[in-house]
């Protein structure tokens, strides 16, 4: 059984550096407060916030190729420098056009660093340790959401936005110092950007990427619309995020190594099925007890799917491919969140939240159905 003793220094450097980077990243969930206080309109705020996500998605085929081509450590350090610089420049800039450019830079930095640090962590693990190791790695990203927005909001209220941007950038500075200690593998200067899509085909990643897309579509709907749904029912979302942070972190740390790798994809499909059922039942939430129950069940069914899918994709593959494979995995998640949230926003506008949540659940369940029978067809 995998234990912490099986994990080397490179893994821990990448894990803690990624956690600190995510603190910087998650602080910018509060950027709308800064934009609103600087008299930006709601549509402008929406455009600025979405620019980050679409920048990350569109640049990933190129950034993930650069990671494998020039080295994961070098690209991580460049990404951290870009994140530090772009975070601090918000202190001096309030023009819409330049802020959009800064969000594009941040999207590129996120695409590079998250894929590079994930690849470093994965390459530091033996195949038998990937399931537990990648679950532990991803659990630390959840901790960052507490260190980021929770304390950053208090800094804004007490000190102001200048101190807020300095606070956010400080975590990437610490992350930068940790990445200096990482030992990188050999890079491959012959890699071309087109190889990103070729790897997806050759490594038969479609089922993994589609399952990840389904997971992300449900995750995005809940994270983006649950607060408004609960507000309509005079309920607070605070306890949901508390439950989410605790359950996801503990599940990934304590349960991932207890799940047998035998028939692991079928187990993932079962998790996704229960995940869809929890979303289908969102309209039944009527009191704070229901919020707590939903938080626990939703978080539990969600928690292990991403790290388990990642371990399947990386197990048995060359370390030289890890940057592009993680790029594909994280792109499928980002597309699921951003594209499907945009789509379900229209459904909510026309038919209401009840139909929106149920539609999201049904789409996920139908996707699981297709994956299940697609897998069964292979063995006939």
């Amino acid at each position: 059984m995998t234990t912490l003793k099986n994990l080397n220094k490179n893994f821990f450097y990448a894990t803690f550096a990624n956690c600190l980077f995510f603190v910087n990243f998650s602080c910018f969930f509060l950027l709308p407060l800064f934009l609103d206080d600087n008299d930006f309109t709601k549509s402008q705020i929406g455009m600025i916030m979405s620019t980050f996500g679409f920048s990350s998605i569109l640049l990933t085929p190129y950034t993930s190729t650069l990671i494998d081509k020039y080295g994961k450590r070098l690209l991580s350090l460049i990404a951290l420098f870009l994140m530090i610089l772009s975070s601090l420049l918000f202190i001096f800039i309030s023009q819409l056009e330049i802020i959009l450019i800064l969000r594009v830079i941040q999207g590129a930095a996120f695409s590079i660093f998250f894929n590079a640090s994930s690849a470093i962590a994965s390459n530091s693990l033996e195949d038998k340790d990937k399931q537990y190791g990648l679950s532990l790695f991803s659990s630390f990203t959840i901790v960052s959401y507490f260190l980021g927005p929770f304390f950053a909001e208090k800094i804004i209220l007490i000190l102001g936005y200048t101190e807020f941007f300095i606070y956010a950038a400080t975590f990437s500075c610490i992350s930068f110092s940790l990445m200096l200690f990482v030992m990188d593998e050999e890079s491959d200067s012959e890699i071309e950007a087109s190889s990103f899509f070729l790897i997806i085909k050759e490594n038969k990643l479609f089922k993994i990427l589609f399952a990840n897309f389904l997971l992300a579509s449900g995750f995005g709907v809940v994270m983006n619309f649950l607060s408004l749904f609960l507000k309509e029912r005079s309920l607070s979302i605070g306890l949901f995020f508390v439950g989410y942070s605790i359950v996801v972190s503990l599940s990934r740390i304590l349960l991932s190594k207890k799940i047998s790798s035998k028939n692991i994809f079928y187990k993932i499909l079962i998790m996704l099925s229960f995940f869809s059922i929890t979303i289908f039942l969102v309209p039944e939430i009527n009191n704070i007890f229901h919020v707590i129950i939903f938080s626990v069940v939703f978080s539990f069914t969600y928690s292990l799917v991403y790290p388990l899918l990642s371990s399947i994709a990386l197990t048995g593959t060359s370390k030289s491919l890890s940057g592009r494979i993680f790029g594909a995995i994280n792109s499928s998640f980002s597309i699921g969140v951003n594209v499907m949230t945009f789509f379900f926003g229209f459904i909510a506008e026309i038919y209401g939240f009840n139909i929106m949540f149920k539609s999201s659940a049904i789409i996920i369940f139908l996707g699981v159905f297709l994956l299940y029978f697609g897998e069964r067809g292979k063995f006939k």
Side-chain angles (χ1 to χ4, degrees), residues 70-264:
Y70 296 111
K72 299 164 184 64
R73 176 176 174 270
L74 173 63
L75 268 294
S76 293
L77 294 173
I78 292 173
L80 286 165
F81 173 77
L82 291 174
M83 195 67 173
I84 294 165
L85 180 64
S86 58
S87 297
L88 293 176
L89 283 175
F90 275 95
I91 297 172
F92 310 103
I93 291 168
S94 58
Q95 296 93 341
L96 173 63
E97 295 78 10
I98 301 179
I99 287 177
L100 287 171
I101 292 172
L102 292 180
R103 291 298 281 168
V104 170
I105 293 172
Q106 288 186 326
F110 179 86
S111 175
I112 295 170
F113 186 82
F114 186 40
N115 292 324
S117 62
S118 299
I120 291 169
S122 174
N123 291 351
S124 303
L125 300 166
E126 299 292 335
D127 279 352
K128 64 182 178 62
D129 299 325
K130 286 192 190 301
Q131 186 169 303
Y132 173 66
L134 292 176
S135 295
L136 184 65
F137 175 86
S138 60
S139 71
F140 275 84
T141 64
I142 306 302
V143 176
S144 67
Y145 289 102
F146 175 72
L147 290 174
F150 180 81
F151 288 107
E153 184 180 29
K154 298 183 184 306
I155 288 172
I156 290 171
L157 293 173
I158 298 171
L159 299 174
Y161 288 110
T162 296
E163 290 77 8
F164 161 70
F165 291 121
I166 293 173
Y167 174 80
T170 298
F171 288 93
S172 282
C173 291
I174 302 171
S175 179
F176 188 97
S177 66
L178 288 177
M179 290 303 296
L180 291 173
F181 293 98
V182 168
M183 302 295 292
D184 204 359
E185 309 90 8
E186 292 184 6
S187 54
D188 183 355
S189 59
E190 301 300 318
I191 294 172
E192 300 297 335
S194 59
S195 65
F196 175 84
F197 301 100
L198 189 61
I199 284 171
I200 294 174
K201 180 180 178 181
E202 290 181 348
N203 288 271
K204 299 178 180 179
L205 296 179
F206 176 77
K207 70 174 186 180
I208 294 171
L209 300 183
F210 185 55
N212 202 39
F213 170 85
L214 294 174
L215 177 74
S217 69
F219 175 82
V221 164
V222 170
M223 291 299 178
N224 285 295
F225 295 112
L226 185 64
S227 60
L228 294 176
F229 170 79
L230 294 178
K231 184 179 179 181
E232 286 185 353
R233 302 193 174 194
S234 301
L235 295 170
S236 171
I237 197 173
L239 287 176
F240 168 81
F241 282 110
V242 172
Y244 171 80
S245 300
I246 295 171
V247 174
V248 172
S249 297
L250 291 179
S251 294
R252 288 178 175 176
I253 293 171
L254 301 177
L255 298 180
S256 58
K257 59 185 175 182
K258 297 183 182 298
I259 298 177
S260 169
S261 59
K262 184 178 180 181
N263 295 323
I264 189 66

Side-chain angles (χ1 to χ4, degrees), residues 289-306:
F289 178 72
H290 290 166
V291 174
I292 295 170
I293 294 297
F294 172 75
S295 173
V296 171
V297 179
F298 170 85
S299 303
F300 182 73
T301 55
Y302 164 82
S303 61
L304 294 176
V305 177
Y306 174 84

Side-chain angles (χ1 to χ4, degrees), residues 281-294:
L281 295 175
V282 167
E284 306 304 318
I285 296 175
N286 291 308
N287 56 55
I288 198 65
F289 178 72
H290 290 166
V291 174
I292 295 170
I293 294 297
F294 172 75

Side-chain angles (χ1 to χ4, degrees), residues 23-58:
V23 177
N24 189 167
F25 157 72
S26 64
C27 281
F28 277 80
F29 288 144
L30 302 181
L31 184 62
L33 298 177
F34 168 78
L35 298 173
D36 185 60
D37 284 348
N38 280 275
D39 299 321
F40 285 86
T41 66
K42 287 183 171 58
S43 61
Q44 288 175 327
I45 293 172
M47 179 171 58
I48 290 168
M49 297 305 290
S50 63
T51 297
F52 175 95
F54 287 109
S55 165
S56 178
I57 293 168
L58 294 174

